[in-house]
Amino acid sequence: MASSTPPPHCTLTTTKPYNSHHFHQQSLQNNHHHHQHRHNQPNWTSQKVSLNRPSQAPTARNAAKPHHLPSGPTAAPAPLSRNPNFHSLSTLPPSKSELAADFSGRRSTRFVSKMHFGRPKTAAASRHSLAAEEALQQAIRCSGDDRCIDTVLVKFESRLSGSDDYIFLLRELGNRGEWSMAIRCFEFAVDRERRRNEQGKLASSMISILGRLGKVDLAKKVFETAVNGGYGNTVYAYSALISAYAKSGFCYEAIRLFESMKVSGLKPNLVTYNALIDACGKGGADFGRASEIFDDMLRSGVQPDRITYNSLLAVCSGAGLWETARNLFSEMLYKGIDQDIYTYNTLLDVACNGGHIDMAFEIMSNMPAKNVLPNEVTYSTMIRGCAKAGRLDRALSLFNEMKYAGIKLDRISYNTLLAIYASLGRFEEALNVAKEMESMGIRKDVVTYNALLDGFGKQGMYDKVNEHFREMKREKLSPNLLTYSTLISVYSKGGLYKEAMEVYREFKQEGLKADVVFYSKLIDALCKKGLVESSAVLLDEMTKKGIRPNVVTYNSIINAFGQSAAVDNEPQIESSHLIVLEDATEMKLEDHEEDRVIKIFKQLAANKSRCAKEESRGGEEIICVLEVFQKMHKLDIKPNVVTFSAILNACSRCSSFEEASLLLEELRLFDNQVYGVAHGLLMGHRENVWVQALSLFDEVKQMDSSTASAFYNALTDMLWHFGQKRGAQLVVLEGKRRHVWENTWSDSCLDLHLMSSGAARAMVHAWLLNIRSIVFEGHELPKLLSILTGWGKHSKVVGDGALKRAIEALLISIGSPFRISKCNIGRFTSTGSVVAAWLRESGTLKVLVLQDDRTQTESPRFDHIPKLQPLLL
DNA sequence: ATAGGGTTAG
């Protein structure tokens, strides 16, 4: 057990993990004065009670606790007119957690993917000569031959006039990705230029061109050369390099450079500040960091402009700060700063990322009145938001709207549309999108194929997967890391370990390098097959290879606990009879022999029948998971809400309190508050822990909606599972009050489709009691009453109807008149009069009021409680 | 100097 490990700092955050850069710098932020007075909320950790355990020593987490908005998440931002003195961002809420920065990185592919398909810069009035155009044409033909470009430069030397011509050449070469020729051209030009001023111009152009191409190391070299040569110490060169860092997501390098710029006596200008804030957004810095820069800007007398605010909004997008974004938007209005399409698109992005789809639609509908017309970026942002929120119908209708509005679909829009169809298994439509796309002159790219492969794979259509993988190569598209990890995961989930192994071999042969996500995805695939122990081996393997697992990796494994019985009933397809033969030939490939991934695949391919059940036999799984927790502590991986939900869900899968108590102990080590609430409610100490519970729910409500509801679901399920039904109902009603499930509870309809089975059952009781009181108050019920469960489309398991079955069993067991609707298998209905009659029956109240299976116990310690059978329906 | 896309947990 990890009980000797001090509780690591943890945070209620789900923002993406990022394990790359220097986040230690963020600690500076805590000392910043703004972060003192921005928060007037009491620190809830100080209210912690000791819940049967000695209270923990204060930790850094307690000292640097995130603070929250005094207003609820749905409250409107404070009217700015009441605060005429604001001059900085001090009216804005802080980042939701200073620790969140650890996790709030963005995908690195984002930077690369923009490189080649970037919108071409609108040609500004260029002052280059005709000779420069000519030189460019000849230079282009030199691609790949450095001596050739030298010859061209020499040949045109006399006709090229000054840095304008050379800068034109640099830019054009850069636009074509010819960075090597651009650099030769730059060096050539600097050599022949005697004016420092002009040399400086060349240098900053070169730096920004390299930055745009993602060649940040080269950009830095050019910068250093320029500084050493005496022409690089300019605001422009610094700004260009800061911007280059921004484009590659290196925000702390950017900040460091900015500091050194000030040290060397240069005064940052508007562009410098804007580039730096942009770097914060792209590098996933927390909002506090950007806010400091903004304040610094004001102190230095540099007035922020539209782009400053747009960049700040982008920081909110990365950090998931919807309220902050709204406030910034209001602040722009107040200050009379123009809001453009970037402003709106970024704001919509933040709204969508936070799950505020309705709000996003409202904002979008207001755009035309503000003279800002939605464009293809607006639409693809919204479409992605809808798709992410599970509203695929809405997403698809937006495409029609887009065509109706005369907005042409571009590569991204097409790929987004295709990915939606593919993920729905609507392949005919997906392939039609691909056709339409090609007919518009946009070739299918790796993204297109990855979406298809993933879609076919999810439906188990492995022949189609193979076919498209071949087609992709035939079209000379190189599979990338994502392609391979998708394929390996798809094959593994299908139990096709030999195929997975072959793809893995090919992936290694291509010289690609696995990363955290690659391993995490593979681990998750094996977990989904119930192979927790193999996953644990891979966890060690990746660590040995120097790839640091992140919270997602661990959450996958925790989630797998107790799920092995649920899988592995699908028939295995093809390919098993060849294994022995293949194994013999593979023994010769020593270089592969050392690879644990291959070993695991080989083993799995050889013993398909073994698999999950055997691997998890006899309590080994719990030991394995506890060891995983221990490693998590050792590597100081901070848990997040998903971890907490995963632990609670794992508890619900325990058949004994003893096992669950081992897991709850892990929860305690991670977060005393969450533990205190879960444990307290489980013990039936509702009155005592409710204050803590409420502040915990305040925290959770900061998360995006699906994360928040998952936590409520997990907590309720755990309580329900161990017979604390009234506690479960209390939690569910609190969740409803806070609109966690964004569904409606009306007199005529109860929508349960986003709830777990425990939560849904507790909710059914509450709703029926509510309906009952309507009846007893003498009011009439609506003609038709319905209870919606959906068909499990929100479940990760395709076609899983566990919720429906649980509700059906409940409705029958309480003798209710609700029956499955004929036209909708996810809906139970009854008429108002029949339900009213049933509710008036004498025995009904008794079955509706929930009873705990066990009343509040005398014993304060969890493990003294006698073992209970897991609750059956 | 600014906006949207494809991998990981729920």
Side-chain angles (χ1 to χ4, degrees):
Chain A
M1 292 290 295
S3 51
S4 60
T5 315
H9 317 150
C10 58
T11 174
L12 282 166
T13 177
T14 62
T15 37
K16 295 145 226 147
Y18 194 71
N19 54 4
S20 151
H21 303 282
H22 339 287
F23 288 103
H24 56 274
Q25 297 199 16
Q26 69 192 348
S27 58
L28 297 171
Q29 175 206 328
N30 300 330
N31 301 325
H32 195 263
H33 64 284
H34 279 113
H35 297 270
Q36 308 299 318
H37 68 71
R38 271 177 204 173
H39 325 308
N40 43 17
Q41 189 85 329
N43 183 339
W44 61 249
T45 49
S46 62
Q47 302 167 1
K48 278 186 178 176
V49 293
S50 62
L51 299 158
N52 303 330
R53 293 277 185 179
S55 66
Q56 295 182 3
T59 61
R61 172 175 189 256
N62 292 7
K65 191 56 209 152
H67 307 265
H68 299 302
L69 276 176
S71 59
T74 51
L80 291 165
S81 51
R82 275 194 220 147
N83 184 8
N85 294 327
F86 81 86
H87 56 280
S88 79
L89 296 178
S90 56
T91 51
L92 295 170
S95 80
K96 76 183 150 198
S97 162
E98 79 286 347
L99 288 169
D102 273 347
F103 296 123
S104 59
R106 288 196 180 180
R107 301 256 80 93
S108 54
T109 49
R110 157 186 200 113
F111 308 115
V112 183
S113 63
K114 285 229 152 162
M115 249 155 55
H116 300 293
F117 308 119
R119 279 174 287 284
K121 290 260 175 232
T122 41
S126 190
R127 287 171 300 192
H128 62 274
S129 68
L130 226 68
E133 300 264 11
E134 240 179 274
L136 174 66
Q137 292 314 316
Q138 298 199 11
I140 290 166
R141 273 178 249 134
C142 287
S143 185
D145 183 350
D146 284 349
R147 268 174 314 177
C148 168
I149 178 77
D150 292 346
T151 317
V152 172
L153 289 168
V154 172
K155 188 168 130 197
F156 280 88
E157 185 180 350
S158 58
R159 293 172 56 204
L160 293 175
S161 58
S163 52
D164 283 344
D165 273 352
Y166 285 107
I167 287 171
F168 166 78
L169 271 177
L170 295 180
R171 285 206 186 290
E172 291 301 320
L173 289 170
N175 285 343
R176 288 163 177 77
E178 299 283 4
W179 53 270
S180 173
M181 287 205 282
I183 288 178
R184 287 194 99 82
C185 179
F186 162 72
E187 285 169 343
F188 185 89
V190 169
D191 272 356
R192 274 146 197 83
E193 180 59 67
R194 308 214 70 74
R195 292 161 297 182
R196 281 211 171 164
N197 206 7
E198 299 300 304
Q199 288 176 318
K201 271 197 223 167
L202 284 163
S204 26
S205 298
M206 191 67 240
I207 293 165
S208 86
I209 287 159
L210 289 169
R212 219 178 300 149
L213 291 173
K215 303 280 172 197
V216 66
D217 290 338
L218 289 171
K220 187 174 173 227
K221 258 189 203 149
V222 170
F223 174 80
E224 280 161 359
T225 313
V227 171
N228 293 335
Y231 56 93
N233 215 12
T234 70
V235 186
Y236 306 104
Y238 273 98
S239 301
L241 188 56
I242 287 171
S243 170
Y245 281 135
K247 290 195 172 83
S248 290
F250 299 139
C251 64
Y252 290 105
E253 277 83 349
I255 292 170
R256 214 174 299 139
L257 183 66
F258 176 78
E259 299 297 339
S260 74
M261 168 182 183
K262 289 209 231 166
V263 169
S264 64
L266 287 168
K267 250 181 86 75
N269 62 21
L270 180 63
V271 174
T272 321
Y273 279 108
N274 286 351
L276 192 59
I277 293 172
D278 180 42
C280 291
K282 296 221 169 69
D286 62 323
F287 186 77
R289 177 66 63 171
S291 154
E292 278 175 34
I293 295 163
F294 186 89
D295 292 346
D296 180 33
M297 185 174 180
L298 296 169
R299 272 195 307 273
S300 313
V302 178
Q303 283 310 309
D305 68 350
R306 174 172 46 86
I307 293 173
T308 318
Y309 275 92
N310 289 348
S311 299
L312 278 169
L313 283 171
V315 180
C316 297
S317 169
L321 299 171
W322 165 237
E323 284 295 319
T324 310
R326 267 168 67 146
N327 289 344
L328 280 169
F329 190 81
S330 307
E331 192 165 309
M332 287 177 88
L333 282 175
Y334 180 85
K335 286 193 174 182
I337 293 171
D338 278 347
Q339 296 175 322
D340 62 5
I341 186 71
Y342 289 79
T343 317
Y344 275 96
N345 287 345
T346 312
L347 185 70
L348 290 175
D349 191 49
V350 192
C352 288
N353 284 339
H356 310 284
I357 295 294
D358 296 333
M359 195 80 74
F361 274 110
E362 199 184 313
I363 294 165
M364 185 177 166
S365 67
N366 290 333
M367 288 171 67
K370 300 283 186 70
N371 254 329
V372 182
L373 294 179
N375 63 9
E376 69 282 4
V377 177
T378 319
Y379 275 95
S380 56
T381 303
M382 293 296 294
I383 287 160
R384 191 171 151 264
C386 290
K388 208 187 114 207
R391 312 216 356 217
L392 296 172
D393 48 332
R394 196 82 181 78
L396 295 177
S397 70
L398 276 170
F399 276 104
N400 293 329
E401 262 181 58
M402 206 172 161
K403 287 189 175 167
Y404 186 73
I407 296 167
K408 266 178 70 177
L409 277 76
D410 62 1
R411 169 182 301 281
I412 293 177
S413 319
Y414 276 118
N415 277 337
T416 306
L417 178 58
L418 182 141
I420 290 175
Y421 281 130
S423 71
L424 289 171
R426 290 161 66 170
F427 297 111
E428 203 184 318
E429 285 149 302
L431 294 172
N432 280 338
V433 172
K435 276 198 198 113
E436 183 183 323
M437 177 175 169
E438 301 217 278
S439 77
M440 298 300 287
I442 304 169
R443 309 254 356 207
K444 281 184 279 192
D445 61 9
V446 192
V447 178
T448 320
Y449 275 102
N450 287 350
L452 286 170
L453 295 173
D454 193 49
F456 284 124
K458 286 223 166 81
Q459 304 292 325
M461 297 163 71
Y462 303 111
D463 49 340
K464 288 285 175 193
V465 171
N466 298 334
E467 182 190 321
H468 281 86
F469 189 42
R470 279 195 299 270
E471 181 185 308
M472 167 178 193
K473 290 181 188 160
R474 217 182 307 126
E475 296 194 6
K476 300 272 177 279
L477 286 168
S478 310
N480 61 16
L481 186 59
L482 269 74
T483 318
Y484 285 112
S485 76
T486 299
L487 286 173
I488 293 168
S489 160
V490 152
Y491 286 135
S492 300
K493 281 186 185 162
L496 303 177
Y497 301 116
K498 186 173 156 290
E499 284 76 359
M501 178 168 68
E502 277 162 8
V503 173
Y504 181 77
R505 284 223 170 94
E506 184 181 322
F507 152 80
K508 284 196 73 180
Q509 214 145 34
E510 292 295 321
L512 290 168
K513 272 196 65 187
D515 64 358
V516 215
V517 178
F518 182 94
Y519 269 102
S520 301
K521 210 171 158 177
L522 174 54
I523 284 174
D524 184 60
L526 297 184
C527 282
K528 291 279 184 316
K529 300 292 290 179
L531 301 164
V532 177
E533 287 171 36
S534 299
S535 300
V537 173
L538 283 182
L539 185 69
D540 284 341
E541 174 66 8
M542 69 186 282
T543 315
K544 270 187 211 135
K545 283 192 185 161
I547 300 164
R548 189 176 144 92
N550 60 33
V551 68
V552 178
T553 325
Y554 287 97
N555 287 347
S556 274
I557 303 181
I558 299 167
N559 273 312
F561 176 80
Q563 296 205 315
S564 51
V567 294
D568 210 40
N569 42 14
E570 67 245 72
Q572 300 302 327
I573 314 165
E574 63 199 285
S575 81
S576 46
H577 54 283
L578 286 173
I579 287 166
V580 178
L581 214 154
E582 298 254 329
D583 274 359
T585 53
E586 279 150 15
M587 294 306 269
K588 290 166 205 151
L589 303 166
E590 296 92 352
D591 54 337
H592 286 155
E593 278 310 293
E594 292 177 319
D595 195 307
R596 290 293 278 280
V597 178
I598 291 193
K599 271 190 184 163
I600 285 178
F601 279 138
K602 243 184 221 178
Q603 230 170 11
L604 291 172
N607 319 289
K608 284 193 182 171
S609 55
R610 185 176 162 270
C611 283
K613 281 168 212 156
E614 201 169 326
E615 207 183 59
S616 63
R617 129 198 61 127
E620 280 163 25
E621 196 175 73
I622 183 83
I623 292 168
C624 182
V625 168
L626 292 178
E627 279 167 6
V628 166
F629 276 117
Q630 220 169 348
K631 283 168 197 152
M632 198 170 164
H633 291 300
K634 211 162 88 192
L635 289 184
D636 195 26
I637 305 293
K638 296 168 188 71
N640 59 24
V641 209
V642 181
T643 318
F644 304 148
S645 302
I647 295 175
L648 293 170
N649 280 324
C651 289
S652 301
R653 283 181 232 114
C654 291
S655 50
S656 71
F657 270 130
E658 283 75 12
E659 209 171 59
S661 74
L662 292 171
L663 293 169
L664 282 181
E665 173 63 14
E666 295 297 336
L667 183 60
R668 187 186 70 81
L669 291 171
F670 280 141
D671 191 299
N672 214 17
Q673 171 90 358
V674 180
Y675 167 79
V677 170
H679 176 265
L681 291 174
L682 185 60
M683 295 296 97
H685 303 150
R686 287 186 282 276
E687 295 76 13
N688 306 336
V689 296
W690 197 243
V691 175
Q692 274 70 44
L694 290 177
S695 65
L696 175 65
F697 296 152
D698 287 341
E699 280 263 311
V700 171
K701 195 62 218 209
Q702 304 287 312
M703 314 283 108
D704 68 272
S705 54
S706 68
T707 302
S709 60
F711 180 79
Y712 277 82
N713 283 336
L715 180 58
T716 317
D717 266 4
M718 190 275 288
L719 295 171
W720 188 274
H721 174 75
F722 286 112
Q724 278 296 349
K725 296 186 177 175
R726 293 173 61 195
Q729 194 170 58
L730 207 57
V731 171
V732 152
L733 287 173
E734 186 60 26
K736 176 197 162 280
R737 198 176 71 79
R738 293 165 182 255
H739 302 107
V740 163
W741 289 282
E742 68 176 61
N743 56 358
T744 44
W745 152 326
S746 71
D747 291 351
S748 64
C749 181
L750 176 65
D751 185 347
L752 303 170
H753 80 282
L754 293 174
M755 308 184 83
S756 63
S757 65
R761 281 177 283 180
M763 192 69 123
V764 166
H765 281 266
W767 184 68
L768 289 172
L769 282 171
N770 179 60
I771 300 284
R772 185 180 177 277
S773 67
I774 294 173
V775 172
F776 277 80
E777 280 162 17
H779 301 294
E780 192 131 325
L781 288 183
K783 287 224 159 25
L784 187 73
L785 298 181
S786 36
I787 299 173
L788 307 177
T789 64
W791 330 278
K793 76 173 174 180
H794 287 269
S795 162
K796 295 268 170 184
V797 186
V798 178
D800 180 45
L803 176 64
K804 194 195 93 184
R805 289 195 302 275
I807 296 305
E808 185 172 23
L810 171 68
L811 291 172
I812 290 168
S813 75
I814 59 177
S816 85
F818 285 91
R819 293 295 174 263
I820 287 189
S821 149
K822 288 199 178 57
C823 48
N824 180 345
I825 57 159
R827 176 190 185 115
F828 297 90
T829 54
S830 186
T831 60
S833 53
V834 172
V835 172
W838 171 64
L839 289 169
R840 286 181 200 281
E841 285 172 21
S842 58
T844 303
L845 180 61
K846 195 156 178 274
V847 295
L848 289 185
V849 175
L850 287 173
Q851 302 288 329
D852 291 338
D853 284 4
R854 165 173 52 82
T855 49
Q856 184 166 334
T857 171
E858 297 298 307
S859 166
R861 285 297 303 261
F862 193 60
D863 31 41
H864 293 164
I865 294 161
K867 208 191 277 190
L868 281 185
Q869 285 301 309
L871 195 85
L872 299 174
L873 289 171

